[in-house]
Amino acid sequence: MGTFILLASPMSFAQWPPEAGAKVVGNTIELPTTLKPVAIPLDQLLNQGATIITAQHDTNGPTVTLKKGQHYIICMVSGAGSAKDQNIATSRCYAMN
């Protein structure tokens, strides 16, 4: 089996995403996106069959994108910790379609 290596220079990252409002060929305008609050916590969504398709750690905690049926849902997770005066983990989820 072959090995695939992707090399990228730091300069290639500087141009993505294009600056908002920039007059650059191929740049799109920012459009409002409706996010519908989902009143079900992340763990229950997963127990109901949702699948994690992306996950990343942001400054406030993990953010995951789920697929549940035909819907895509984004969830932001806040972990428990004494610095936040919060003793249990919580999630805020929004349907994107």
Side-chain angles (χ1 to χ4, degrees):
M1 195 177 284
T3 302
F4 178 74
I5 298 174
L6 176 64
L7 299 175
S9 74
M11 293 303 290
S12 65
F13 296 115
Q15 297 179 17
W16 186 254
E19 180 181 338
K23 295 180 181 180
V24 178
V25 176
N27 192 13
T28 187
I29 59 172
E30 293 181 33
L31 300 171
T33 298
T34 302
L35 296 175
K36 180 181 174 188
V38 174
I40 302 170
L42 175 58
D43 59 338
Q44 285 184 14
L45 288 166
L46 293 169
N47 289 337
Q48 293 173 0
T51 304
I52 294 175
I53 56 173
T54 67
Q56 65 184 30
H57 190 275
D58 294 325
T59 54
N60 296 322
T63 299
V64 296
T65 307
L66 310 172
K67 186 165 194 297
K68 184 173 185 243
Q70 296 299 314
H71 298 282
Y72 291 90
I73 301 168
I74 188 168
C75 294
M76 286 74 68
V77 180
S78 295
S82 59
K84 298 181 204 168
D85 198 27
Q86 180 172 320
N87 60 3
I88 58 170
T90 60
S91 60
R92 293 181 5 188
C93 300
Y94 300 91
M96 296 186 285
N97 68 334

